[in-house]
Amino acid sequence: MIYAGNMSHLLSGLLKESELAIVAQIASAKRNLHGARFDTYIDKVIEVLKVKCPEVNKLTSPELRDVVAMVDVWGVESRGMMKMLTDTCTGCGWCCSQTSTVIVDLEDTERISRQLRKKRDELFVSDGKYWHIKRCCPCQWWNPRNGHCLIYHIRPSTCRWWPLQVNEYGQDTLHNATECNYSVMVLVYKVIGALQASEQVQ
Ligand code: SF4
Ligand code: SF4
């Protein structure tokens, strides 16, 4: 799937013509990286979007898919949107209990090991490129009795920013996790904001 075709008229209030190709490239790269999982995520966002903002039904399906994929990696600032929509997290615990890999940075491994007075290799493992939490799915620090994180105040930066990630282009984007209501709803409202800015919807 290649994004970008003729989206300029839909996102004209948000994107300059010169930015369109860059955004399309970033969106396509994300789709190529995640494949069917990304498509499922976009489908889920569109399903909710049609309920929250029926005016999007005037767009064709390909147009809507392109807009959602492109706004994900651009558009209304993701971090600001996340702060506005913190209550969309249902506390389902999927992120801590079902994610198979949690990548952390070097500073996380040093800080958490020091605070817990453990050797780094007891808590984290390296694949040669990235450090990961050693026991995941569920995470070793997830408390299944109450769904809380046992190290919440010193949790890794990945967990602080979930469901946000920064891609190789340095753009904020959302994890394509259909199970995460937070991830879906943040993108739904980002798209509505983008279309309002472009005067495509009221
Ligand atoms: S460290 Fe805490 S917030 Fe991060 S995945 Fe584990 S339980 Fe969840
Ligand atoms: S998966 Fe998403 S909705 Fe569920 S607890 Fe994690 S952040 Fe909240």
Side-chain angles (χ1 to χ4, degrees):
M1 185 181 299
I2 297 171
Y3 293 107
N6 54 359
M7 293 303 100
S8 52
H9 67 289
L10 293 175
L11 297 176
S12 59
L14 183 68
L15 293 170
K16 295 178 196 155
E17 198 65 37
S18 58
E19 293 170 330
L20 194 65
I22 300 167
V23 177
Q25 187 185 353
I26 298 171
S28 293
K30 182 170 179 181
R31 197 273 167 192
N32 291 339
L33 182 67
H34 298 287
R37 197 152 60 92
F38 181 69
D39 293 335
T40 307
Y41 176 58
I42 298 295
D43 287 341
K44 178 68 182 181
V45 171
I46 289 173
E47 180 190 322
V48 179
L49 189 57
K50 285 183 169 181
V51 175
K52 294 280 179 195
C53 182
E55 284 178 89
V56 300
N57 286 298
K58 70 184 181 191
L59 305 183
T60 66
S61 290
E63 282 177 335
L64 198 47
R65 292 188 71 79
D66 278 8
V67 167
V68 172
M70 291 168 74
V71 170
D72 173 37
V73 296
W74 204 270
V76 180
E77 198 254 322
S78 298
R79 294 180 192 218
M81 189 61 73
M82 282 176 61
K83 282 183 192 150
M84 285 166 55
L85 294 176
T86 48
D87 61 355
T88 60
C89 171
T90 60
C92 68
W94 183 89
C95 47
C96 301
S97 63
Q98 301 298 315
T99 307
S100 56
T101 305
V102 179
I103 293 175
V104 299
D105 61 33
L106 185 63
E107 191 278 332
D108 288 323
T109 67
E110 291 168 348
R111 177 173 47 83
I112 295 169
S113 315
R114 189 171 59 247
Q115 300 247 7
L116 298 181
R117 300 186 182 189
K118 298 271 188 187
K119 291 192 176 135
R120 181 166 62 191
D121 291 349
E122 289 179 64
L123 306 177
F124 302 98
V125 60
S126 171
D127 62 12
K129 190 172 177 188
Y130 299 111
W131 284 93
H132 306 249
I133 293 177
K134 196 164 190 176
R135 288 179 292 282
C136 271
C137 202
C139 173
Q140 61 186 312
W141 290 302
W142 182 64
N143 183 343
R145 285 195 293 276
N146 59 16
H148 293 171
C149 172
L150 295 170
I151 60 162
Y152 187 78
H153 296 296
I154 55 169
R155 67 197 185 284
S157 49
T158 312
C159 308
R160 286 179 194 280
W161 285 113
W162 172 275
L164 197 69
Q165 64 187 84
V166 177
N167 62 28
E168 66 265 39
Y169 299 91
Q171 290 294 326
D172 289 343
T173 178
L174 290 155
H175 282 274
N176 30 263
T178 52
E179 299 83 351
C180 174
N181 191 57
Y182 194 12
S183 190
V184 170
M185 294 311 291
V186 168
L187 185 50
V188 165
Y189 283 106
K190 269 186 79 177
V191 172
I192 294 173
L195 291 173
Q196 284 173 339
S198 299
E199 300 182 346
Q200 297 295 326
V201 299
Q202 296 297 310

